[in-house]
Amino acid sequence: MIAVGIDVSKSKSTVAILNSDGSLRIKPYDMKHNHPEMNALINYLNELDEPIIILMEYTGHYHYPVLKKLTDEHFPVCLVNPYQMKKYGDTELRRSKTDKKDAIRIATYALEKSYQLVPYSVDDQKYVDLKMLSRQYSQRMSTLTINKVYLANLLDQTMPGITSILPLRSRDPETSLSMMFIKKYKSFDYICKMGKSRFLDSYSRLVKKSRNRNASHLGLAIYELATSSITTNGENEYTVLAQTQCIDLVAEAQRSADCIIAQMQTIAETLPEYKILRNMPGVGERLGPLILAEIGNVRRFHSGKALNAYAGNDAPPYRKLKCSQFPSCVDFTGFNGIQNCVYCYYLSFFSKIALKHRPHYFHI
């Protein structure tokens, strides 16, 4: 058997080819991700008479060109978790770290573990699209969180303490009361100039335009907060301009995330397992497609334990020492995406239980 180890990086990879006895067949070399150099490797492998196994690491999207080119030529390509390769390299006494050494290490792993490596198979395009959209959704939510932090910092200068009365909620920004309030009144100084009666009338009309119709009684509390607070840049036109731009960025990031999640819902509704997932308590229209995107085709798991292991929910080994010295906890070593979905599910599930048994703790 011939083992090919490929250490993938951006725009190029390092290739090492080993014989069945572990000796180098050719010296490790760098290969660019283009047709001429990839075709040279394919032509060399086609001339070999022995069985071939090709192994590379998951590297985000960097390994896609190499994977696509080799699978199109019907070569058995296997993928391994980089963390697994790291643990495999920890067994060596001399831990050298170069691209050529890594390629040889990957090829050696392919020889030793060839009996348990499974060649990569292309998933249904729907699962591929869901995973790609899930990554884009995570990026939009990260952008949204950053812009919310910037907006909160500016509000400390223009409307200190306003988020304690009107929480900053960006969902449906066109009808969100907090977003509409900040964009209209800009600072507490402007509210103080309006006067109490004029502000309360204006605020009541604003509440009727928002989705928070039950927040009309908060007007007096907001006015008292405005008159008692000290604003540092409430009348600074540049601070107000930056605050308005932050609101627009938050709204745009939220609309972009909503658009992506709507596309994910459309794709997920065509998959049969989505109905089962939605019947689980705590799984809604947003969390359902995200979980489905991270799991992928559930039929590739032979049991529920395999799915649990894929998520990284590994139970700790039994310890005879005291728990206070070594606390027992679940060791999360899976993918970050599915771990975040599991956390959101637990949070939603237990919130519903608490809301059912103690509803007075969750009043708005």
Side-chain angles (χ1 to χ4, degrees), residues 81 134-135 138 294 310-312 332-344:
N81 193 317
S134 176
R135 297 294 180 268
S138 298
E294 296 301 331
Y310 174 77
F332 293 101
T333 56
F335 295 100
N336 292 333
I338 193 170
Q339 288 180 7
N340 292 336
C341 290
V342 171
Y343 171 76
C344 292

Side-chain angles (χ1 to χ4, degrees), residues 44-278:
Y44 177 81
L45 295 179
N46 284 328
E47 295 175 356
L48 301 177
D49 297 330
E50 300 181 48
I52 300 173
I53 183 169
I54 303 174
L55 182 64
M56 65 181 71
E57 295 177 332
Y58 285 100
T59 54
H61 61 278
Y62 293 148
H63 68 283
Y64 285 164
V66 181
L67 179 64
K68 183 178 185 302
K69 185 68 175 179
L70 293 176
T71 52
D72 289 345
E73 297 294 332
H74 307 289
F75 284 104
V77 183
C78 304
L79 299 176
V80 64
N81 193 317
Y83 183 75
Q84 193 171 357
M85 284 303 307
K86 178 182 180 301
K87 287 297 184 181
Y88 177 75
D90 290 343
T91 59
E92 300 177 359
L93 294 178
R94 300 184 64 184
R95 301 180 184 178
S96 56
K97 180 65 177 177
T98 63
D99 292 342
K100 294 183 179 181
K101 291 287 186 181
D102 289 343
I104 295 174
R105 186 179 295 113
I106 294 172
T108 305
Y109 183 89
L111 280 179
E112 295 183 5
K113 307 293 184 179
S114 59
Y115 62 93
Q116 66 181 19
L117 293 177
V118 180
Y120 173 81
S121 60
V122 180
D123 289 335
D124 189 350
Q125 187 62 33
K126 294 180 180 179
Y127 296 104
V128 177
D129 293 339
L130 275 176
K131 194 164 188 177
M132 185 273 296
L133 289 174
S134 176
R135 297 294 180 268
Q136 296 297 319
Y137 178 78
S138 298
Q139 293 178 8
R140 301 303 183 277
M141 293 305 294
S142 298
T143 303
L144 176 63
T145 303
I146 293 173
N147 289 326
K148 277 188 173 181
V149 172
Y150 292 155
L151 179 57
N153 293 337
L154 291 172
L155 289 175
D156 289 338
Q157 305 176 45
T158 59
M159 295 182 176
I162 188 62
T163 55
S164 62
I165 300 178
L166 294 178
L168 187 58
R169 294 190 175 95
S170 60
R171 190 73 59 84
D172 298 328
E174 291 79 7
T175 58
S176 173
L177 179 58
S178 57
M179 301 282 288
M180 296 170 63
F181 180 89
I182 297 169
K183 197 164 188 178
K184 181 174 181 178
Y185 297 110
K186 297 180 176 57
S187 72
F188 282 162
D189 293 333
Y190 179 75
I191 294 176
C192 293
K193 290 179 180 180
M194 291 179 64
K196 182 177 180 180
S197 59
R198 185 183 170 192
F199 168 72
L200 293 178
D201 292 339
S202 176
Y203 176 76
S204 62
R205 291 194 299 268
L206 182 67
V207 169
K208 292 178 182 179
K209 297 179 182 179
S210 70
R211 66 174 185 270
N212 305 92
R213 302 295 180 87
N214 58 346
S216 57
H217 65 282
L218 300 176
L220 183 59
I222 295 174
Y223 184 78
E224 292 177 352
L225 177 64
T227 54
S228 61
S229 298
I230 300 176
T231 60
T232 55
N233 287 316
E235 296 181 344
N236 190 314
E237 58 178 337
Y238 303 111
T239 303
V240 173
L241 176 62
Q243 180 176 280
T244 304
Q245 290 179 347
C246 273
I247 295 174
D248 294 337
L249 290 173
V250 169
E252 185 60 32
Q254 184 64 62
R255 282 191 290 265
S256 179
D258 293 340
C259 180
I260 292 175
I261 207 68
Q263 297 295 326
M264 295 181 66
Q265 291 170 3
T266 303
I267 299 174
E269 287 173 356
T270 63
L271 300 173
E273 59 266 31
Y274 181 65
K275 295 180 180 179
I276 301 174
L277 189 62
R278 282 299 308 276

